[in-house]
Amino acid sequence: MTRPRSFPLDLLAATAAVLLVVAAVVVGRTVYTYDDLIVGWPPLLGRWDPHLGPGTPAAVLVAAGVAAYGPAVAARLPWRALLPAAWGTALAWTWSLALIDGWERGVAGRLTTSQEYLSVVDRWHDVPATLRDFNGHILLHSPDNWPAHVAGHPPGATLTYVLLDRIGLGGGGWAGALTITVGATACVAVLVAVRALTGERLARRAAPFLALAPAAVWMGTSADGYFAAVAAWAVALLALAVTRRSPGWAAGSGLLFGLTCYLSYGLTLFAVIAAAVLVLGRRGVRARPVLLAALLAGAAVVPVAFTAAGFDWWEAYRLLVTRYYEGAAGVRPYAYWVWANLACTVLITGLATVAGPSSKTLSQANRTPGKPEARFLFEKKKTLLNTQ
């Protein structure tokens, strides 16, 4: 008797994700109004505006090339060549999407609007004094209150662009180029982490999807792309630390985790991902407990530096929550966003990310912790012996 074929878990996960996005769009556009959600195209802060531009031909060529040849190239390239190739592809994809709007509107002007970081660069003549006084300008009714993005992030975000200006690379063009270049390295960081934790085979299969991740729309040009890359490298270095049992990598990971907390309040949640990496690499941690000490020591560097300079992270966060409820949060329905934000995550990461954890490949990789490719290599060796 033939057993009924089960529904593939990866297809089921992808279908559920699509339905979630559709629900967020339908509910956002029929149940609520713009004045309720304060977004132009629920669940996204944007508007429907299909158009072509200078970057359109390049975007089409990059997408078609990766779709046609990406998996084969990723499977054959030497690992050291695959990483820069993935970064280059992610750069080409992000730049081409950004340039659909042209240089000024798509890149150079993105970080110079009234609510963005570059609008306050001239107010940072005295960096230590500005850090000490930073919290005094967060609330809406405070004198010379910071624009939304500046107030909504710790000062490490703005300080990045201030320092870029101080070394002679001022203006939206340089800021946009830095953001896109650094943001595209997130693709490489994820590949490094996946290879360290689950094996090279799975990392190679993920490479084309990472290079063409929908997140490129936000990475070109939003400072969030830069923040995400720093957080991704913190996780990648931690994965290297626990698998190679290296205190140096652990200290580097901690340093980036500390920096992440001073770029975005929300990215402190990456501590959960760090905890997951520590669990997966617990054998390495048990063998070298000094890894935890190095991680914590590295993580303390940036917070200690900012605190010594006079910036109070906890007070800033409390003031930011107050400002948020003074503004949009006073009308936005929490009951919608608590699940619609998950739909936003699907749009940013793509269906491949949703389906990946349910795939057969990942399940097989997890059957051999620490040596995910052992079975594959054994079967390959056995095949070669049988053919001789």
Side-chain angles (χ1 to χ4, degrees):
M1 182 177 179
T2 304
R3 294 180 62 184
R5 201 170 189 179
S6 60
F7 197 72
L9 290 179
D10 52 354
L11 185 57
L12 181 62
T15 301
V18 170
L19 292 176
L20 176 64
V21 173
V22 171
V25 173
V26 172
V27 172
R29 293 184 64 82
T30 58
V31 177
Y32 299 102
T33 66
Y34 174 84
D35 292 333
D36 295 325
L37 302 180
I38 317 182
V39 293
W41 189 262
L44 300 177
L45 179 63
R47 65 180 185 274
W48 180 252
D49 183 24
H51 60 281
L52 304 177
T56 302
V60 173
L61 287 174
V62 172
V66 173
Y69 303 105
V73 172
R76 295 172 184 172
L77 272 182
W79 179 253
R80 290 186 177 181
L82 177 60
L83 295 181
W87 183 31
T89 304
L91 275 174
W93 177 236
T94 307
W95 273 109
S96 60
L97 291 177
L99 290 174
I100 289 177
D101 286 330
W103 169 254
E104 185 59 36
R105 182 185 174 197
V107 179
R110 289 290 185 182
L111 297 173
T112 61
T113 62
S114 61
Q115 299 301 319
E116 286 285 359
Y117 304 96
L118 269 65
S119 65
V120 301
V121 167
D122 292 340
R123 292 174 58 179
W124 287 68
H125 297 295
D126 187 336
V127 171
T130 306
L131 287 175
R132 289 192 298 270
D133 195 38
F134 188 88
N135 292 352
H137 304 283
I138 293 179
L139 296 178
L140 280 175
H141 62 265
S142 60
D144 296 324
N145 64 80
W146 297 120
H149 285 188
V150 178
H153 295 82
T158 308
L159 187 57
T160 298
Y161 297 105
V162 171
L163 295 178
L164 189 67
D165 179 78
R166 295 294 187 271
I167 64 174
L169 302 179
W174 285 111
L178 171 74
T179 302
I180 292 176
T181 302
V182 176
T185 67
C187 165
V188 181
V190 175
L191 287 176
V192 170
V194 170
R195 181 176 185 253
L197 296 172
T198 65
E200 188 172 314
R201 190 183 186 195
L202 186 58
R204 288 179 178 275
R205 296 189 66 171
F209 298 98
L210 289 169
L212 290 189
V217 173
W218 287 267
M219 289 181 173
T221 309
S222 166
D224 290 342
Y226 155 53
F227 306 157
V230 175
W233 277 109
V235 173
L237 295 188
L238 183 58
L240 291 176
V242 298
T243 53
R244 299 184 181 183
R245 303 178 183 180
S246 168
W249 287 125
S253 173
L255 183 65
L256 292 182
F257 270 119
L259 176 59
T260 298
C261 294
Y262 281 76
L263 293 175
S264 172
Y265 296 105
L267 288 181
T268 55
L269 292 175
F270 260 74
V272 177
I273 300 177
V277 173
L278 292 175
V279 170
L280 291 173
R282 56 189 177 275
R283 291 182 180 177
V285 176
R286 288 172 183 169
R288 296 204 71 183
V290 70
L291 294 176
L292 289 178
L295 176 67
L296 295 175
V301 172
V302 174
V304 167
F306 273 93
T307 303
F311 171 70
D312 188 332
W313 191 97
W314 293 103
E315 180 192 17
Y317 180 72
R318 179 183 61 80
L319 292 171
L320 174 62
V321 172
T322 301
R323 171 164 174 163
Y324 181 54
Y325 281 98
E326 287 177 341
V331 296
R332 278 179 170 169
Y334 181 83
Y336 173 78
W337 289 109
V338 72
W339 61 272
N341 278 339
L342 296 176
C344 293
T345 303
V346 172
L347 293 171
I348 293 170
T349 59
L351 290 179
T353 303
V354 177
S358 303
S359 68
K360 183 178 179 182
T361 301
L362 185 57
S363 298
Q364 289 179 342
N366 287 338
R367 289 175 185 171
T368 52
K371 294 184 179 180
E373 298 184 45
R375 182 177 178 182
F376 167 73
L377 294 174
F378 175 76
E379 291 179 350
K380 182 177 180 181
K381 182 177 180 180
K382 183 170 67 175
T383 302
L384 290 173
L385 290 174
N386 290 338
T387 58
Q388 290 179 351

